[in-house]
Amino acid sequence: RQQRLYIIQVISADFIRICCDKKGTHTIQAIFDTVNLPEEEELIRRALRGNIFRLSMDSQGTHVVQKVLNCRSFKGAKQNFVFDEFEDFYEICTNRNGLIVVKILVKNVVTPDKRRKLMSQIGNRMIKLVQDPYGNYAVSEIIANWDPAQCYPIFEQVLTRVSELSIQKYSS
């Protein structure tokens, strides 16, 4: 227990670099499987804070963020720090690595406030999002997992352009 805490403390200065390394990402994910102390969780949160967006877009770092979102130690409110770091959901939705993180977030985000935040950030670019090769999957994930009433802004925008969107490659 003390050894795990010590290891996390020692690598925390290089945590992000390790997360983005092809072999390092596996090591960090393995550490997450053993985390069970609040002190360990806090050290990991501190090491990741301010870098979630960058890691989500990175081909190796995205696996670390996904692991946090799927890890038993970071369930529920403990993963709010991940969601809170996204200032531009549109950009992350249109990135192939970021999309995977968004899909997990869409399933895990249960508070109405967080859902409204996500919807407001993508709302003004909804049509561009459904036309994007990756963004359309983010919209589909929202529709599949959220209550129809919460998806009304999507339906409202898409319905006004059904004929145009139905003939395009990604939005159809």
Side-chain angles (χ1 to χ4, degrees):
R1 173 171 125 172
Q2 288 296 83
Q3 288 176 333
R4 279 194 320 260
L5 202 54
Y6 178 74
I7 290 169
I8 295 169
Q9 287 171 333
V10 168
I11 66 171
S12 65
D14 293 315
F15 205 79
I16 302 308
R17 185 185 59 74
I18 296 168
C19 290
C20 294
D21 180 78
K22 193 171 189 168
K23 291 184 173 116
T25 189
H26 296 290
T27 303
I28 297 296
Q29 291 174 68
I31 289 172
F32 288 175
D33 287 331
T34 65
V35 167
N36 61 7
L37 297 173
E39 297 90 351
E40 293 169 328
E41 293 170 10
E42 185 54 34
L43 280 172
I44 290 169
R45 265 194 297 279
R46 269 193 260 141
L48 293 173
R49 197 165 283 131
N51 293 289
I52 296 292
F53 187 83
R54 180 177 140 218
L55 288 172
S56 296
M57 307 280 262
D58 182 83
S59 62
Q60 302 304 319
T62 188
H63 299 289
V64 173
V65 178
Q66 292 169 45
K67 186 70 170 185
V68 168
L69 293 172
N70 290 318
C71 185
R72 60 183 161 72
S73 296
F74 291 97
K75 285 294 179 199
K78 290 182 179 180
Q79 59 184 227
N80 283 345
F81 78 100
V82 174
F83 184 89
D84 293 341
E85 286 205 24
F86 292 125
E87 295 299 321
D88 187 357
F89 275 99
Y90 177 81
E91 187 176 347
I92 200 157
C93 287
T94 57
N95 176 278
R96 76 173 187 204
N97 297 314
L99 172 63
I100 301 164
V101 172
V102 168
K103 289 172 84 172
I104 297 168
L105 276 175
V106 164
K107 289 178 186 170
N108 292 357
V109 170
V110 292
T111 65
D113 287 345
K114 296 218 182 291
R115 287 184 176 187
R116 276 192 294 276
K117 177 184 176 184
L118 193 151
M119 193 61 75
S120 72
Q121 285 190 19
I122 63 173
N124 61 342
R125 296 186 275 183
M126 186 63 65
I127 297 303
K128 286 176 76 174
L129 199 57
V130 298
Q131 294 172 319
D132 184 83
Y134 302 110
N136 73 86
Y137 289 108
V139 175
S140 296
E141 197 70 26
I142 292 169
I143 292 169
N145 287 285
W146 291 6
D147 184 83
Q150 294 171 318
C151 299
Y152 183 76
I154 297 171
F155 303 145
E156 187 177 47
Q157 289 187 46
V158 170
L159 286 174
T160 62
R161 303 192 52 194
V162 168
S163 58
E164 173 191 344
L165 295 171
S166 65
I167 60 171
Q168 293 180 5
K169 184 174 181 175
Y170 301 111
S171 58
S172 62

